[in-house]
């Protein structure tokens, strides 16, 4: 997938997409990752171990799925999902995952205060850099970073 936010991705005949909330009276966070097969036009759900699936990206034949509650602006878990085996592993990251992007063997992430760079080694995310992007100083907000892109 090539769009910046990555709420879906395609592998073979399957399009995987995230679901932030369950459709219910209480609007609870969803544990589902959905898969649409474009060949036979079927939809199925994969139950994840964490709720509030947010962004989804391909990484070395696996899916990296961030978990982030947009209302509470919190969530620091990542699911590494293997579509071939259906295995999933949950990893805790240092920061809230307001946005993520993967380039090469690095995961870039931001919360409201910092931009983070993690090196990825299989199922390990090691923090390698952290840049202050917070501009509220002395009760004045000059701007806030609402997104980023990787070139």
């Amino acid at each position: 997938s090539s769009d910046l936010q990555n709420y879906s991705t395609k592998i073979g005949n399957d399009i995987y997409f995230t679901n932030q909330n369950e459709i219910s009276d209480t609007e609870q966070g969803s544990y589902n990752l959905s898969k649409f097969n474009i060949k036979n036009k079927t939809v199925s759900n994969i139950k994840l171990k964490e709720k509030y699936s947010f962004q989804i990206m391909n990484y070395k034949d696996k899916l990296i799925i961030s978990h982030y509650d947009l209302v509470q602006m919190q969530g620091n878990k990542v699911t590494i999902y293997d579509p071939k085996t259906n295995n999933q592993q949950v990893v805790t990251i240092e920061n809230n995952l307001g946005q993520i992007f993967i380039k090469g063997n690095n995961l870039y992430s931001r919360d409201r205060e910092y931009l983070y760079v993690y090196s990825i080694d299989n199922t390990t995310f090691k923090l390698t850099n952290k840049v202050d992007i917070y501009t509220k100083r002395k009760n004045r907000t000059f701007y806030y970073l609402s997104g980023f892109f990787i070139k």
Side-chain angles (χ1 to χ4, degrees), residues 45-61:
N45 287 322
I46 300 155
K47 195 63 113 183
L48 298 174
K49 295 176 183 177
E50 293 292 325
K51 62 183 175 179
Y52 296 113
S53 57
F54 187 42
Q55 290 179 268
I56 181 171
M57 298 181 187
N58 292 337
Y59 179 72
K60 296 186 177 182
D61 298 323

Side-chain angles (χ1 to χ4, degrees), residues 17 34-37 40-45:
F17 56 96
S34 296
K35 178 173 73 169
F36 175 71
N37 184 282
N40 62 22
K41 311 278 191 272
T42 58
V43 176
S44 59
N45 287 322

Side-chain angles (χ1 to χ4, degrees), residues 10 12-15 36-42:
K10 184 176 178 283
N13 289 322
D14 295 317
I15 298 173
F36 175 71
N37 184 282
I38 59 176
K39 195 170 187 174
N40 62 22
K41 311 278 191 272
T42 58

Side-chain angles (χ1 to χ4, degrees), residues 67-124:
H67 297 273
Y68 183 74
D69 181 344
L70 286 166
V71 175
Q72 299 295 322
M73 295 191 326
Q74 60 187 349
N76 64 339
K77 306 250 191 247
V78 170
T79 295
I80 303 165
Y81 176 75
D82 187 335
K84 293 176 186 168
T85 64
N86 290 318
N87 288 335
Q88 55 182 291
Q89 180 174 353
V90 178
V91 177
T92 302
I93 302 292
E94 180 176 315
N95 64 291
N96 285 314
L97 301 168
Q99 182 181 353
I100 66 168
F101 196 83
I102 295 173
K103 183 171 183 181
N105 289 320
N106 289 317
L107 178 129
Y108 298 84
S109 178
R110 68 149 187 91
D111 56 21
R112 299 216 49 172
E113 297 182 23
Y114 293 93
L115 177 65
Y116 303 81
V117 181
Y118 295 89
S119 64
I120 307 171
D121 184 18
N122 292 320
T123 59
T124 304

Side-chain angles (χ1 to χ4, degrees), residues 127-144:
L127 182 63
T128 60
N129 200 2
K130 181 176 168 179
V131 178
D132 186 349
I133 59 172
Y134 192 60
T135 63
K136 184 175 180 176
R137 305 287 185 244
K138 298 183 182 174
N139 295 322
R140 289 187 63 194
T141 300
F142 295 102
Y143 66 91
Y144 70 94

